[in-house]
Amino acid sequence: MGALGSRLAAVGSRPGASSCECERRKRKRLRREDDDDDEEEEDRAESEAREAGGPRRKKLKSTSKYIYQTLFLAGENSDITICALGQEWHLHKIYLCQSGYFSSMFSGSWKESSMSHIELEIPDQNIDTEALQVVFGSLYRDDVLIHPSRVVTILAAACMLQLDALIQQCGEIMKETISSKSVCSFYTAAGTYGLDSVRQKCLEWLLNNLMTHQSVDLLKDLSIVLMEKLISSPDLFVMQVEMDVYTALKKWMFLQLVPSWNGPLKQLLTDADAWFSKRRKESCNCSSFLDTEQGQKFAGVFSHIRLQYVINDLVSAKIIERDMIIPSGWLAAMYKQQWYAMLRTEQDNDLGPKEIVKEEFEGRSMRCGRKLAKDGDYCWRWTGFSFGFDLLVTYTNRFIIFKRNSLSQPCGGAVSLLPRRNIAFRLRLASFDSNGKVICSRAVGYQILSLEKDQEQIVLNLDSRLLMFPLYICCNFLYTSAEAKPEVDEQPVHGEN
């Protein structure tokens, strides 16, 4: 029987147990009913867990099953009663001592160590009676089936009772079942209960899916603090260009202000624009929305938009000016910065980045992306002025190719004719399943590519065995070198004696 059998033998018999035949029959009938209900509940929970992508549970051993049904469900030979949230559990100290919480209570000089009835205070609102039922029951069985929809409440109870193995199991289930509906609650719970690996996994999921798989529910759930963390990250998987980050934030802010809105994702931007337009017309002043009392709390999030790549496109710049969400002071400073960058490129013949400074690249690089729905040949450029570096990106025969276009292809903007130009870049590709989990991915780390006029370069060769569509491509680019700091005149100033 092993350790579990030893536990059973150690419990002994409860004094005063009735030997009445009718009482034994009644108990037997109740155990049989509990057994049937328990099996039905287990089968139903296991089926739901499989549908939700949760782990499958191995069959319980007969000894463990007997102990669970006889001692936990039927409460036979109980030597302690735990009362919490208006419900009682008839349990056994020898099993409760697996919990660090109860082990300390029973082994010290606490008054509870000699009590047979304990009122348990539950300070955590995440804990309910169903979670306590699962957690107490876990002390009497080899394994526990946890449905993803209940994992946060069970985690809360497991943390309170200091059950490390159950806490670890909850963490693994959370990491395996992250989705748009659960990611925010999992992220919050992981922070509350100290599961750093779960918190990091949720953050990675959000960075990959916020822009690639937008949903109304997810935008509603994202807090200001979490959204700021995402928008400030260089690892945000952007689709199209930085202007789309601004558009996503506009929709998110509208949902935070009007949480009762309910409609399809394709209608969200139209209704958000209409709401902000009505607000501008009703406003008595000409201040930007982020300068108003209602909008100030969102300013920190919007400050992480890389505006230099938004105002580089005329259509985007006009929308930004029309919306009057971004403060005019932010825009004026960015126009000035980009004007100087253009002058350096044109008049100082700035060849582009000469070395990778990680902090500079992560903070200043242009974030852009593309979705390839199926295999084939693709060629594109991202919109916006890029200081004369007209970069064409090609996907063909599993190759990603960069080409510096100078003369061979038509271009609507200015094109640099310098013999050589540099560009710093990072390239990432990924495919996702229906829940946003990465199926396969490839990445090219920070690099500097030096290209002559009309030169092309293969930057990535994809393994066909790992290639799955739709394929998402995300790039970070830096076209210009860092602005030189002004020299300080170190000559002393001599005044007249």
Side-chain angles (χ1 to χ4, degrees):
M1 292 175 64
L4 289 171
S6 299
R7 288 181 190 163
L8 178 60
V11 173
S13 61
R14 184 173 57 187
S18 173
S19 59
C20 178
E21 183 64 25
C22 62
E23 182 68 21
R24 283 200 301 270
R25 289 178 180 175
K26 180 180 179 181
R27 251 185 224 171
K28 188 174 181 181
R29 178 175 55 80
L30 290 173
R31 283 200 301 269
R32 188 163 55 247
E33 291 175 355
D34 287 339
D35 187 10
D36 293 341
D37 292 343
D38 186 44
E39 288 183 356
E40 290 178 5
E41 177 63 26
E42 288 177 357
D43 291 341
R44 182 168 62 253
E46 185 169 0
S47 176
E48 292 176 354
R50 282 199 300 269
E51 293 175 1
R56 297 186 64 180
R57 176 178 62 80
K58 63 183 180 181
K59 277 288 185 181
L60 289 172
K61 297 178 181 179
S62 58
T63 302
S64 174
K65 188 173 184 178
Y66 176 79
I67 290 173
Y68 178 76
Q69 293 171 348
T70 305
L71 299 185
F72 177 66
L73 293 180
E76 290 194 9
N77 301 317
S78 168
D79 59 359
I80 188 167
T81 299
I82 303 296
C83 181
L85 301 176
Q87 184 168 326
E88 290 185 346
W89 287 266
H90 301 290
L91 305 174
H92 310 80
K93 286 187 178 181
I94 193 170
Y95 285 91
L96 288 178
C97 282
Q98 297 173 88
S99 156
Y101 179 88
F102 286 110
S103 178
S104 299
M105 179 187 293
F106 297 150
S107 62
S109 58
W110 306 100
K111 64 178 182 179
E112 289 88 353
S113 61
S114 59
M115 295 172 62
S116 60
H117 188 283
I118 295 177
E119 293 281 344
L120 204 60
E121 293 293 332
I122 307 296
D124 190 338
Q125 294 183 349
N126 283 331
I127 301 175
D128 56 20
T129 55
E130 186 178 344
L132 289 174
Q133 177 78 5
V134 172
V135 171
F136 287 142
S138 73
L139 301 173
Y140 293 79
R141 63 198 318 178
D142 288 338
D143 58 356
V144 183
L145 180 65
I146 302 173
H147 192 275
S149 64
R150 297 290 304 158
V151 69
V152 172
T153 60
I154 294 171
L155 171 63
C159 286
M160 176 184 166
L161 300 183
Q162 301 170 30
L163 295 171
D164 293 340
L166 190 56
I167 293 170
Q168 182 179 357
Q169 182 182 352
C170 288
E172 293 303 315
I173 291 173
M174 291 166 77
K175 286 190 282 190
E176 292 172 6
T177 58
I178 295 172
S179 67
S180 60
K181 294 181 179 179
S182 65
V183 64
C184 291
S185 62
F186 284 1
Y187 180 86
T188 301
T192 301
Y193 303 111
L195 298 183
D196 293 339
S197 62
V198 175
R199 189 178 176 90
Q200 182 60 34
K201 202 76 174 179
C202 290
L203 187 61
E204 291 173 2
W205 189 96
L206 285 166
L207 289 170
N208 288 333
N209 287 272
L210 176 62
M211 300 295 296
T212 59
H213 300 84
Q214 284 191 27
S215 76
V216 173
D217 290 338
L218 178 59
L219 291 174
K220 283 185 176 182
D221 288 343
L222 283 168
S223 67
I224 292 176
V225 173
L226 183 51
M227 182 61 93
E228 183 171 358
K229 194 175 186 67
L230 297 174
I231 298 302
S232 63
S233 174
D235 299 324
L236 180 64
F237 220 106
V238 172
M239 286 291 95
Q240 299 306 327
V241 291
E242 192 75 21
M243 179 61 182
D244 293 276
V245 178
Y246 167 81
T247 302
L249 282 187
K250 183 165 57 173
K251 293 186 286 188
W252 164 77
M253 183 167 63
F254 167 70
L255 290 174
Q256 301 301 302
L257 295 166
V258 191
S260 61
W261 186 89
N262 187 22
L265 181 63
K266 61 182 180 181
Q267 184 64 29
L268 180 54
L269 180 59
T270 300
D271 288 358
D273 280 334
W275 190 90
F276 285 109
S277 176
K278 182 180 179 181
R279 176 263 165 199
R280 290 194 301 272
K281 292 176 181 177
E282 294 175 350
S283 177
C284 299
N285 54 52
C286 298
S287 61
S288 70
F289 184 75
L290 295 182
D291 282 330
T292 66
E293 183 178 354
Q294 193 176 24
Q296 283 178 355
K297 61 183 179 181
F298 302 104
V301 181
F302 278 81
S303 68
H304 294 289
I305 298 175
R306 303 185 178 187
L307 288 172
Q308 62 267 42
Y309 303 110
V310 176
I311 63 172
N312 274 0
D313 175 65
L314 180 60
V315 174
S316 300
K318 287 182 177 180
I319 293 174
I320 288 282
E321 296 284 356
R322 178 207 69 191
D323 286 349
M324 290 182 63
I325 291 175
I326 304 294
S328 57
W330 296 11
L331 295 172
M334 199 54 63
Y335 285 130
K336 180 179 179 180
Q337 174 185 307
Q338 290 301 86
W339 175 252
Y340 276 113
M342 186 186 70
L343 292 179
R344 291 201 319 274
T345 304
E346 290 295 313
Q347 298 180 15
D348 277 353
N349 293 332
D350 180 12
L351 300 180
K354 300 177 180 61
E355 62 180 353
I356 293 290
V357 179
K358 186 178 178 181
E359 293 76 13
E360 176 191 337
F361 182 86
E362 290 183 342
R364 294 180 54 234
S365 59
M366 178 176 77
R367 302 176 293 189
C368 50
R370 178 92 175 188
K371 176 184 176 181
L372 307 185
K374 58 183 180 179
D375 200 3
D377 294 333
Y378 298 86
C379 183
W380 71 91
R381 60 165 60 89
W382 282 286
T383 59
F385 178 64
S386 54
F387 306 97
F389 197 122
D390 184 32
L391 181 70
L392 299 180
V393 184
T394 301
Y395 169 83
T396 182
N397 295 325
R398 304 192 306 277
F399 291 105
I400 301 289
I401 301 170
F402 288 171
K403 177 180 179 179
R404 178 193 169 195
N405 175 44
S406 297
L407 299 172
S408 59
Q409 298 293 331
C411 180
V415 174
S416 171
L417 297 179
L418 289 174
R420 183 172 290 276
R421 284 288 301 272
N422 301 334
I423 185 173
F425 75 96
R426 181 181 64 163
L427 177 65
R428 293 174 292 154
L429 293 84
S431 299
F432 305 95
D433 66 12
S434 58
N435 287 323
K437 185 177 181 180
V438 175
I439 303 173
C440 59
S441 63
R442 286 287 306 277
V444 174
Y446 305 107
Q447 293 187 18
I448 291 179
L449 189 61
S450 185
L451 295 175
E452 297 178 357
K453 291 186 289 186
D454 295 313
Q455 180 182 353
E456 63 180 31
Q457 178 72 42
I458 296 174
V459 294
L460 186 59
N461 181 8
L462 295 168
D463 188 340
S464 60
R465 294 173 298 177
L466 301 176
L467 199 58
M468 300 184 69
F469 291 85
L471 184 66
Y472 294 85
I473 301 174
C474 185
C475 298
N476 294 63
F477 290 114
L478 197 58
Y479 290 103
T480 62
S481 59
E483 183 177 0
K485 295 181 180 179
E487 296 182 3
V488 178
D489 186 1
E490 297 182 352
Q491 297 296 322
V493 178
H494 300 284
E496 294 184 358
N497 293 328

